[in-house]
Amino acid sequence: DKSGYPKVSLIDTDDSLSISQSNLKNLIRQTSFAASQENTRPILKGVLVENRNSLLNFVALDGYRLAIKNIESTFDKEFKMVVSARVLNELSKIIEDSDEFIYINYDDSRIMFYNSNFKMISRLLQGDFIDYTRMLPKEHKTIIDINRKELLSAVERVALVLEDDKKKPIVIKNYDDEIVINVAGERGVSREVVSAEITGDEMELFFSSRHIFECLRAIDESNVKIVLTGPFHPVIIKSDEDKSYTFLVMPVRQPGTR
C-alpha cells in the first residue's frame, strides 16, 4: 500500500550525466570513508561532487584526512554539489560492479541516481565546502616508495595493542631504506619494520593508525608513494600507476606537546 508514503517529485532527466556502475562504486569507495562523522560541521559529512575541466571529482575530508578521486568526464556542464556520504554508501550497496551505466541528474537542492531498475533521490547538503586545493602541499622533503600491502599489514599489527587510536598515535620514522613503526599502547608495545626506497630527509611523524589504515585500504595498487614535507605538515599518499586519486593525512601532535 503506497498511500502512506509522501509523493516524491522526480528530477528532469533530459540532460543526464552517465557513468558506469563500477566507476561510481570506486569513486565512492575511495572517498566516502574520509567524510566526517561529527555533527559540528554538517557539510563535511558529505562528499563534494564536482564536474570541471573534463573531470568528475569526488572529494571528502574530515579535518584529519582528505580523499580525492576523479575520472574523465564528457559531461559538458560544470557543477558542484555536496552529497551525503551515508547516501552514497547506501547507493554503493545497491549498484553492481559492472560496466552498465547509471545516470545522474540534479537540481538546486536534490540529486537523483537512476537506471532501469531503480531511482534514488536525496537532498543535497547546503553550505560552503572547504577549498581543499589549498590543503595540498606544494613542496616536499622526503619521498617514500613502499609496498602498500606490507605497510597496511604492519599498521594493522601495531594497532592491535591500541584501545583508542585517538589517544595513542603510532610513530613512523624513516631511515635510509626502511621505515620503523612504533606504538606504546594500552595493551603493550609494538614495533614493525618495512623496507622501502627513500629519498630525502629523515623524519619522525605521529599518526592515528586508523587514518593511515583506511587510506591504504582504499588503494588498489601494489606500491604507493608517501610524500613528506615536515613533521607537522600534511602527508600525501599517491601512486605513479594510478594518478586519479590523492590521499592526504594530517599528523597528530606528539603526546605531551602543545
Side-chain angles (χ1 to χ4, degrees):
D1 181 9
K2 299 179 181 178
S3 61
Y5 293 90
K7 187 175 181 179
V8 177
S9 60
L10 300 180
I11 298 173
D12 181 26
T13 59
D14 286 344
D15 194 9
S16 303
L17 183 156
S18 59
I19 180 175
S20 74
Q21 295 188 55
S22 59
N23 275 341
L24 183 55
K25 282 181 81 77
N26 280 331
L27 283 164
I28 296 169
R29 177 178 64 87
Q30 293 189 297
T31 55
S32 64
F33 71 90
S36 177
Q37 304 296 314
E38 307 295 331
N39 292 319
T40 51
R41 300 187 71 179
I43 194 71
L44 297 185
K45 297 184 77 171
V47 176
L48 175 67
V49 179
E50 60 176 359
N51 192 72
R52 62 186 179 94
N53 300 329
S54 300
L55 289 175
L56 178 63
N57 297 309
F58 274 42
V59 183
L61 61 94
D62 63 1
Y64 304 100
R65 62 222 167 137
L66 163 69
I68 305 169
K69 171 73 175 179
N70 60 61
I71 61 169
E72 292 183 359
S73 172
T74 57
F75 192 62
D76 57 4
K77 290 184 178 179
E78 293 197 351
F79 61 77
K80 180 186 291 188
M81 64 189 81
V82 183
V83 185
S84 163
R86 180 181 59 81
V87 168
L88 290 175
N89 287 330
E90 290 301 318
L91 173 65
S92 186
K93 296 174 185 177
I94 297 171
I95 62 179
E96 299 175 354
D97 192 5
S98 75
D99 292 331
E100 292 187 15
F101 283 123
I102 189 165
Y103 301 92
I104 302 174
N105 285 86
Y106 59 93
D107 59 23
D108 290 340
S109 61
R110 300 176 302 162
I111 188 168
M112 180 170 73
F113 303 90
Y114 68 98
N115 62 14
S116 58
N117 298 318
F118 76 93
K119 290 183 175 71
M120 176 185 280
I121 301 175
S122 172
R123 288 193 177 277
L124 298 172
L125 299 185
Q126 300 300 319
D128 293 326
F129 202 81
I130 290 175
D131 182 2
Y132 65 92
T133 60
R134 297 177 62 182
M135 299 174 63
L136 300 171
K138 296 189 171 46
E139 58 182 25
H140 68 269
K141 293 184 178 178
T142 304
I143 297 179
I144 301 171
D145 195 329
I146 195 166
N147 182 278
R148 180 189 66 86
K149 287 184 178 179
E150 290 181 7
L151 179 57
L152 180 67
S153 297
V155 172
E156 189 172 21
R157 286 193 296 270
V158 298
L160 292 174
V161 301
L162 296 174
E163 290 182 2
D164 187 344
D165 68 286
K166 293 179 181 178
K167 293 181 179 178
K168 301 283 187 178
I170 62 173
V171 186
I172 298 180
K173 186 168 184 178
N174 65 283
Y175 296 93
D176 289 340
D177 57 2
E178 63 186 20
I179 67 167
V180 177
I181 307 171
N182 288 290
V183 65
E186 296 88 347
R187 301 189 186 104
V189 176
S190 186
R191 181 178 186 272
E192 292 281 339
V193 179
V194 184
S195 298
E197 293 182 13
I198 301 171
T199 57
D201 299 345
E202 207 174 272
M203 290 189 201
E204 182 178 74
L205 296 95
F206 295 76
F207 293 100
S208 158
S209 59
R210 181 171 62 87
H211 293 162
I212 292 286
F213 178 83
E214 289 182 346
C215 286
L216 293 172
R217 187 176 58 181
I219 297 170
D220 299 321
E221 284 66 46
S222 56
N223 272 48
V224 293
K225 284 191 184 300
I226 302 175
V227 182
L228 311 179
T229 304
F232 306 113
H233 292 81
V235 170
I236 295 290
I237 302 175
K238 59 183 182 177
S239 166
D240 282 340
E241 300 172 49
D242 182 358
K243 298 185 184 300
S244 69
Y245 69 82
T246 301
F247 298 137
L248 177 151
V249 182
M250 289 294 299
V252 298
R253 290 283 178 179
Q254 180 180 355
T257 65
R258 295 184 178 180

